[in-house]
C-alpha cells in the first residue's frame, strides 16, 4: 500500500531489521548487604600510625614517599627539615594528652618519663605554651583594667604583654631543654631532646590555673599561688630527671638542684611581671 511517496513496510521482511526481544519476565536486581558499622575499616585504630592513615590528597607532597623519591633518600640533618620527621611527635589523641597533663599535676610520682619514653610528643607542649600566652595576656589585661577602674585611673591596653608572654614561654620551653641536653651529653648522661621538650612543655601546665587564680586582688594570695605553682613545676621536672641524671656521677645532685632552682626562678619572674599589678 502506497500513500504519496511513502511505502508501508509492515509485515515485510527487510534485510538488516532488528528482531524483537522476547519478554523474559520480571528481572530482580540484588544489592550486596551493607553494614555501615564496618566504616571506618576495623584496622583503623584512631591514630595516624603504620597502615592506618588519612586519605591522601592529590597535592599532598608530604604523605608517605613513593619508592625512589627524594624524601625517601634523605637522612641525617636533611631529614630534620622535612615535615615527615615531626609527624610521629604529633601522633597523640585527647586521652594521651589529658593523661600526661594529669601526671604533671602530681609531680611526686616521678613516672612521667617512663610513660612517655617510647612516645614523647610535641603536640601537648605546643598547645600548653600557646594557651599560656593568651591566658597570661588576657588575665594580665583584665586585672590591670580592674585595678585602674577601681582607682579611677586612665587605662591603656598594652600589646607588649602578648609579645612578652610569647617570648617568655616559647623561649623557655625551647632554650632550657636545649641547654640541658648539651649539659647532660657533656656529663655522659645524654637524654633525648624531644623527651626534654615534652617534659618541660607539660611542666608549664600548672601555671595556667595559677594565672587564672591571680585575678584575686590580694598580693599575699598571689605570692602563695606563684610559689605553689613554681614548686609543683620544679618538682615535676627535677624528680622525673633525677633517676636519669644520677648516672652522671657525683655531680648529679648539683644538676638536679640547678634544674629545680631554674624552674622556681620562672615562677618568680611570672610573679613580678604577670601576678603583680601596679597603677
Amino acid at each position: 500500500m502506497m500513500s504519496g511517496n511513502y511505502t508501508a513496510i509492515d509485515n515485510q521482511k527487510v534485510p538488516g531489521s532488528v528482531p524483537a526481544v522476547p519478554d523474559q519476565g520480571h528481572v530482580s536486581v540484588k544489592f550486596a548487604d551493607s553494614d555501615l558499622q564496618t566504616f571506618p575499616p576495623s584496622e583503623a585504630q584512631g591514630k595516624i600510625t603504620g597502615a592506618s592513615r588519612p586519605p591522601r590528597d592529590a597535592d599532598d607532597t608530604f604523605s608517605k614517599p613513593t619508592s625512589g623519591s627524594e624524601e625517601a633518600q634523605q637522612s641525617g640533618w636533611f631529614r630534620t627539615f622535612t615535615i615527615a620527621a615531626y609527624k610521629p611527635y604529633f601522633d597523640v589523641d585527647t586521652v594521651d594528652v589529658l593523661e600526661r597533663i594529669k601526671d604533671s599535676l602530681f609531680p611526686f610520682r616521678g613516672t612521667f618519663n617512663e610513660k612517655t619514653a617510647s612516645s614523647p610528643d610535641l603536640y601537648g607542649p605546643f598547645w600548653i605554651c600557646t594557651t599560656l600566652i593568651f591566658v597570661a595576656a588576657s588575665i594580665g589585661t583584665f586585672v590591670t583594667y580592674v585595678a585602674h577602674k577601681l582607682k579611677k585611673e586612665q587605662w591603656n591596653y598594652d600589646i607588649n604583654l602578648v609579645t612578652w608572654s610569647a617570648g617568655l614561654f616559647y623561649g623557655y620551653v625551647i632554650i632550657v631543654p636545649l641547654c640541658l641536653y648539651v649539659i647532660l651529653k657533656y656529663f655522659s648522661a645524654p637524654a633525648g631532646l624531644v623527651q626534654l621538650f615534652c617534659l618541660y612543655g607539660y611542666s608549664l601546665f600548672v601555671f595556667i590555673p595559677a594565672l587564672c587564680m591571680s585575678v584575686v586582688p590580694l598580693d599575699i594570695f598571689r605570692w602563695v599561688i606563684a610559689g605553689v605553682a613554681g614548686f609543683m613545676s620544679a618538682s615535676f621536672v627535677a624528680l622525673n630527671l633525677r633517676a636519669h641524671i644520677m648516672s652522671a656521677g657525683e655531680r648529679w645532685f648539683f644538676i638536679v638542684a640547678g634544674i629545680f632552682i631554674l624552674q622556681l626562678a620562672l615562677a618568680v619572674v611570672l610573679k613580678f611581671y604577670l601576678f603583680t599589678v601596679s597603677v
Side-chain angles (χ1 to χ4, degrees):
M1 178 179 180
M2 298 182 59
S3 175
N5 295 326
Y6 297 96
T7 303
I9 60 175
D10 295 341
N11 300 324
Q12 295 183 16
K13 293 183 180 180
V14 180
S17 62
V18 181
V21 179
D23 186 9
Q24 297 180 356
H26 177 69
V27 178
S28 60
V29 180
K30 295 183 178 180
F31 294 93
D33 294 337
S34 176
D35 186 3
L36 295 179
Q37 295 182 357
T38 62
F39 182 84
S42 58
E43 63 269 17
Q45 301 298 326
K47 294 185 181 180
I48 309 175
T49 55
S52 56
R53 295 179 179 271
R56 178 177 177 180
D57 296 332
D59 59 346
D60 184 7
T61 58
F62 301 108
S63 298
K64 185 177 179 180
T66 56
S67 58
S69 65
E70 182 179 356
E71 184 179 345
Q73 299 175 357
Q74 290 178 350
S75 60
W77 285 102
F78 292 100
R79 181 171 173 78
T80 307
F81 300 99
T82 62
I83 293 184
Y86 300 96
K87 280 184 177 181
Y89 304 121
F90 291 84
D91 184 19
V92 290
D93 53 25
T94 304
V95 176
D96 295 329
V97 175
L98 291 179
E99 184 67 24
R100 295 175 182 187
I101 288 175
K102 185 172 66 175
D103 287 339
S104 70
L105 297 177
F106 295 92
F108 299 105
R109 293 178 178 176
T111 58
F112 183 86
N113 270 358
E114 298 177 4
K115 294 180 179 180
T116 60
S118 59
S119 59
D121 73 284
L122 298 177
Y123 181 87
F126 170 77
W127 281 112
I128 288 174
C129 291
T130 304
T131 304
L132 266 173
I133 293 169
F134 287 99
V135 169
S138 59
I139 294 296
T141 300
F142 174 76
V143 172
T144 306
Y145 172 79
V146 172
H148 279 76
K149 289 302 180 181
L150 290 176
K151 293 188 177 183
K152 298 181 179 180
E153 298 285 344
Q154 184 178 2
W155 175 80
N156 295 316
Y157 176 73
D158 187 10
I159 190 62
N160 293 325
L161 193 60
V162 177
T163 56
W164 185 89
S165 301
L168 174 66
F169 293 116
Y170 281 144
Y172 185 87
V173 83
I174 293 176
I175 295 176
V176 174
L178 278 173
C179 295
L180 183 60
Y181 173 80
V182 175
I183 293 173
L184 293 180
K185 196 167 186 178
Y186 175 79
F187 286 103
S188 300
L193 182 58
V194 178
Q195 182 74 16
L196 293 175
F197 284 144
C198 180
L199 178 66
Y200 271 87
Y202 281 99
S203 71
L204 299 181
F205 177 81
V206 69
F207 290 108
I208 296 179
L211 284 170
C212 294
M213 288 187 287
S214 68
V215 297
V216 178
L218 293 175
D219 192 59
I220 185 63
F221 179 78
R222 290 171 178 167
W223 269 112
V224 171
I225 292 300
V228 171
F231 180 79
M232 291 178 61
S233 179
S235 300
F236 174 73
V237 176
L239 292 178
N240 277 282
L241 289 176
R242 181 184 61 178
H244 177 78
I245 297 177
M246 287 179 67
S247 61
E250 298 179 354
R251 300 179 180 179
W252 73 268
F253 178 80
F254 298 100
I255 300 176
V256 174
I259 293 171
F260 186 87
I261 294 173
L262 185 61
Q263 201 79 357
L264 280 180
L266 174 64
V268 174
V269 171
L270 292 177
K271 169 63 183 70
F272 282 110
Y273 286 94
L274 294 178
F275 291 87
T276 302
V277 179
S278 59
V279 180

